[in-house]
Amino acid sequence: MPPISRPLSTSFMRTLRTFVLCLLSSVLCAFHTLRADTVVFTGGDYTGDIYLADRTDTFVVDADTTISGRITGTSDYREIATGGAFIKTGDGTLSITGQRNWFLGPNAVSSGTLVVTHVGALGTGNLVVNSGATFVMRGIRDGMNFPQAITGGGRVEIADSDMTLNYRHGFVIGALASANSDFSELAVTRSRLYALASGTLSSGLGGANVAVSIADNSTLVLGREGITPGVSGLLAQTNYAIVARILAVDATSTLMLNPGANLTVTGTLALDPDATFTFGGAGLIRLEYAALAPGSASPDILAAAPAGYSLDATSVVGSSGRQRRDYLVINQGANPMHDIAMTTAAIDTIIDTVSGRLNELFLLPAADAPAQRRPRKWNNNAWLRGLFSSVDYETGGDNRPGHNGRLSGLVLGLDSAYRQRVNLGLYGGITESNLDTAGAASLLSKQRYFGVSVTPRFKHFYITADAFSGNADSESLRREANGSTIAHWSNHFSGGGLEVGAVLRPWKDGFLRPRVAVRYTSMDISDYKERAPIGASQMVVEDFSDSLAHVNLAVDAARRLTLFKRAALAGVSLGLKRHVSEPRTTLAAAFRDYSERGFTLERGDYYEDTVSLGASLGVALTRRVHAGLSLGYERGAHHDRMTASLSVNCMW
């Protein structure tokens, strides 16, 4: 008979469980109640929370160790107020992966390697990395500012991160004046690092003795933060020094300088011929270096402005005999030159609308049966047109990226014709223009205008003369590295034109209206003002005047018909516009904080000889009320424009 199985005794199981719990408790308590001045780690992964007293604690790491728990200042959760200073010694690597630690510092890496994976891993205490030691920031991808000032003569590594080094109260890395505060190395790999200088003694890369390497698909962005240019007597915007002894950028990486950056390389600059050297916004940017490393490309060859910007480089002898390059980066995306293009495009659309009303005056009434028209001495016509126009500018180069423009508005007019021989007209309206440049800039202009016209008719021929005047409030937005620069200015415009044409009836129920017109417009730009974000450059543009003139050749063909038992007129038109004179192609400007060196704003190819094609339909809703719809397409060398207008006319 087989033996009978018996369960373990209850007392034995209770004893075994108590022993295991006591063992785990004793191990965990060792890391929950840390009170010793020196703690030795022999390797492993420590997950429990660690409590520091209000004193200096030394972590001796003899083998690779990871602390993933939280390090706080006291074991009382109701009173987490102070934490001790952290000193890492030993040749091993200590990794701190926690996010909410409470070191008040001063902290130090005396030897070995310290790795952190969050910006809050070291609390708020500043960090000293001694010579021979290494501090690594790895996997920090929240883009946040690293809050500590880091000094010392050791090595700093940034790997697999997207972050900012920016200490707002006077220090970044190596900000102290003493040479002992410089690092020996700063290595950036597979990362995007923003090193922003602020205060008055800032140096964003470690100081005059540091060797900086940017490698393995990394980007280093250098600039400044914290003080608006021109405030408190700061006349030049390049007073924020960013210093290094050696700066090397490999073939896969990018060096980007933001406005106000003053990068000084006291030794050699090594730019791989396949590296990227670019700029993050408009303004003055300065680069000094003592020598180029063997095989390095000249920064003048690699320097490239972003799309929509232009670049002007000047060589100057720098301090201590170093070579210096002053790069003036100009945002061409939205400026008063483009506003002229917008305003004149709006005027052209308005004038085309005013000219188009002559079809309604001359041709549509002819579609009525003669017996229905009673001769009158005065015939009056009130009309209203709604306008919408869209223009697509193609990419014409790096300084003039593709963009889209829009125009919308209302035009109201009143005409009085004496015995159908002389027509007197008044018109006025409000339009709004928008221009968007590849998401980098935008421009808004609101036009208000008033005009008069007179049109005598001599059987088949007519002459129209008109004059107009108006003003526009304009606003531009240029996106820069630290925000958007907003500019405001005023635009007063005036002009006039003369159109000669004929109204012919070469076939039954058909009409032809060949015409030629000469247009002239003058503009005055004044009161240009900019509001720039911190760290951006403000542009200064003096008041200026401009003008343009062009000739329009066009022919309209129309036919009267019956539509829904209503008299109607359908027509097409073909036109050609040739410019006799164009506005200036460049405009002198300067940055407020570097006014001694001016630059030019570029207009772009916004004025071109164009061909236009149109279609229209007018319907006599009643004998006294007519409605019309017009569509137009204009094609130039670099743009396409579509225009639609809807009109209502009331005659009495």
Side-chain angles (χ1 to χ4, degrees):
M1 184 173 182
I4 299 174
S5 299
R6 298 176 179 273
L8 293 175
S9 66
T10 304
S11 60
F12 176 79
M13 291 295 296
R14 185 182 299 111
T15 302
L16 179 61
R17 184 175 58 186
T18 302
F19 174 79
V20 172
L21 291 176
C22 290
L23 179 62
L24 292 175
S25 177
S26 62
V27 173
L28 293 176
C29 285
F31 296 102
H32 278 116
T33 58
L34 180 59
R35 288 290 182 265
D37 291 335
T38 301
V39 180
V40 178
F41 291 89
T42 58
D45 185 359
Y46 297 86
T47 59
D49 290 348
I50 297 176
Y51 302 100
L52 297 180
D54 188 9
R55 63 172 183 270
T56 299
D57 291 284
T58 302
F59 287 62
V60 181
V61 181
D62 293 329
D64 293 349
T65 303
T66 299
I67 300 177
S68 56
R70 193 162 64 102
I71 306 174
T72 62
T74 175
S75 60
D76 187 351
Y77 279 105
R78 296 168 299 176
E79 189 182 351
I80 299 177
T82 61
F86 167 89
I87 299 177
K88 192 276 181 197
T89 64
D91 295 332
T93 297
L94 174 61
S95 299
I96 300 179
T97 62
Q99 303 182 43
R100 298 175 55 201
N101 298 326
W102 288 81
F103 299 121
L104 295 184
N107 305 311
V109 184
S110 296
S111 58
T113 300
L114 174 64
V115 180
V116 298
T117 59
H118 295 280
V119 293
L122 294 180
T124 59
N126 293 334
L127 180 67
V128 178
V129 182
N130 290 337
S131 179
T134 301
F135 175 56
V136 181
M137 289 174 276
R138 177 176 295 134
I140 300 178
R141 293 193 171 275
D142 51 15
M144 295 175 58
N145 290 333
F146 191 77
Q148 279 79 25
I150 308 172
T151 58
R155 174 183 171 89
V156 176
E157 297 180 6
I158 298 174
D160 303 309
S161 298
D162 184 353
M163 59 176 296
T164 299
L165 292 176
N166 181 5
Y167 192 62
R168 295 171 180 264
H169 303 293
F171 309 121
V172 187
I173 294 180
L176 301 179
S178 170
N180 294 328
S181 67
D182 293 337
F183 293 110
S184 61
E185 295 178 78
L186 173 63
V188 182
T189 57
R190 303 179 303 280
S191 299
R192 185 177 182 90
L193 172 64
Y194 297 82
L196 305 181
S198 61
T200 56
L201 293 174
S202 297
S203 57
L205 290 178
N209 292 326
V210 66
V212 181
S213 64
I214 312 299
D216 199 0
N217 292 293
S218 295
T219 298
L220 174 63
V221 183
L222 301 178
R224 60 174 187 161
E225 185 274 343
I227 296 181
T228 303
V231 176
S232 302
L234 299 177
L235 299 180
Q237 62 176 4
T238 56
N239 59 330
Y240 295 84
I242 299 172
V243 184
R245 176 173 57 88
I246 298 173
L247 176 61
V249 183
D250 77 354
T252 65
S253 300
T254 298
L255 172 63
M256 178 182 291
L257 302 183
N258 280 343
N262 183 0
L263 172 59
T264 300
V265 181
T266 59
T268 57
L269 175 65
L271 296 175
D272 189 277
D274 293 324
T276 301
F277 177 33
T278 187
F279 306 92
L284 179 66
I285 296 162
R286 183 165 294 165
L287 171 64
E288 287 190 25
Y289 57 93
L292 290 176
S296 175
S298 168
D300 290 345
I301 297 176
L302 294 183
Y309 293 69
S310 58
L311 180 65
D312 180 13
T314 301
S315 298
V316 183
V317 177
S319 57
S320 303
R322 290 188 288 262
Q323 301 182 58
R324 192 179 95 188
R325 300 291 187 272
D326 283 354
Y327 296 101
L328 207 59
V329 184
I330 304 101
N331 189 333
Q332 301 286 353
N335 59 58
M337 302 291 286
H338 299 169
D339 181 46
I340 294 175
M342 290 178 58
T343 301
T344 53
I347 294 172
D348 283 347
T349 305
I350 295 163
I351 297 305
D352 290 344
T353 296
V354 175
S355 176
R357 91 197 191 288
L358 295 181
N359 277 340
E360 297 152 5
L361 289 175
F362 292 159
L363 306 184
L364 188 57
D368 296 327
Q372 294 179 338
R373 298 198 305 271
R374 292 181 299 173
R376 299 183 57 183
K377 181 180 293 186
W378 288 96
N379 286 280
N380 304 307
N381 178 31
W383 52 275
L384 176 67
R385 275 185 179 264
L387 299 175
F388 178 80
S389 180
S390 176
V391 60
D392 179 18
Y393 286 95
E394 301 171 358
T395 301
D398 290 340
N399 297 344
R400 189 178 63 80
H403 59 270
N404 297 314
R406 296 173 300 279
L407 169 71
S408 59
L410 292 173
V411 185
L412 177 66
L414 176 64
D415 294 293
S416 293
Y418 178 73
R419 297 189 183 279
Q420 299 296 328
R421 293 183 178 179
V422 179
N423 186 81
L424 304 177
L426 303 174
Y427 62 90
I430 300 175
T431 53
E432 181 176 289
S433 301
N434 293 273
L435 189 72
D436 291 321
T437 305
S442 63
L443 197 152
L444 173 66
S445 183
K446 298 181 179 180
Q447 300 98 10
R448 300 170 295 275
Y449 46 86
F450 176 80
V452 297
S453 65
V454 57
T455 306
R457 185 175 182 181
F458 311 96
K459 195 175 181 180
H460 298 299
F461 298 94
Y462 70 90
I463 299 176
T464 294
D466 70 278
F468 60 87
S469 179
N471 59 76
D473 296 325
S474 303
E475 175 183 289
S476 71
L477 182 146
R478 301 195 311 273
R479 293 175 180 85
E480 302 287 359
N482 295 326
S484 297
T485 297
I486 300 175
H488 299 269
W489 64 91
S490 298
N491 184 344
H492 176 76
F493 55 88
S494 60
L498 184 68
E499 180 178 310
V500 178
V503 180
L504 309 175
R505 301 190 64 173
W507 60 83
K508 183 180 179 180
D509 295 331
F511 305 88
L512 277 180
R513 185 164 76 98
R515 49 195 169 92
V516 57
V518 179
R519 313 293 319 171
Y520 175 81
T521 304
S522 66
M523 290 149 289
D524 297 312
I525 306 294
S526 61
D527 301 325
Y528 186 92
K529 296 180 177 63
E530 281 195 354
R531 185 173 71 253
I534 291 175
S537 301
Q538 297 185 38
M539 192 168 62
V540 177
V541 177
E542 301 294 336
D543 297 352
F544 69 97
S545 299
D546 224 326
S547 63
L548 79 159
H550 56 80
V551 175
N552 292 348
L553 302 173
V555 59
D556 299 305
R559 180 180 177 83
R560 66 182 183 181
L561 48 89
T562 300
L563 187 65
F564 301 114
K565 298 182 180 181
R566 304 291 181 183
L569 191 75
V572 295
S573 63
L574 180 65
L576 171 66
K577 181 191 297 181
R578 288 191 60 88
H579 284 91
V580 178
S581 65
E582 298 180 0
R584 65 187 71 195
T585 57
T586 60
L587 174 66
F591 289 121
R592 189 187 71 180
D593 301 295
Y594 199 64
S595 57
E596 63 269 27
R597 182 178 169 195
F599 55 84
T600 57
L601 298 176
E602 300 173 5
R603 186 194 72 191
D605 297 328
Y606 299 123
Y607 299 92
E608 306 155 351
D609 294 341
T610 59
V611 177
S612 60
L613 179 67
S616 62
L617 176 65
V619 180
L621 301 178
T622 68
R623 290 186 57 197
R624 300 186 182 277
V625 179
H626 295 170
L629 173 65
S630 299
L631 301 174
Y633 171 76
E634 179 183 275
R635 174 65 178 170
H638 296 97
H639 78 273
D640 297 272
R641 180 190 300 275
M642 294 292 297
T643 302
S645 66
L646 182 65
S647 64
V648 177
N649 301 267
C650 182
M651 295 175 288
W652 71 93

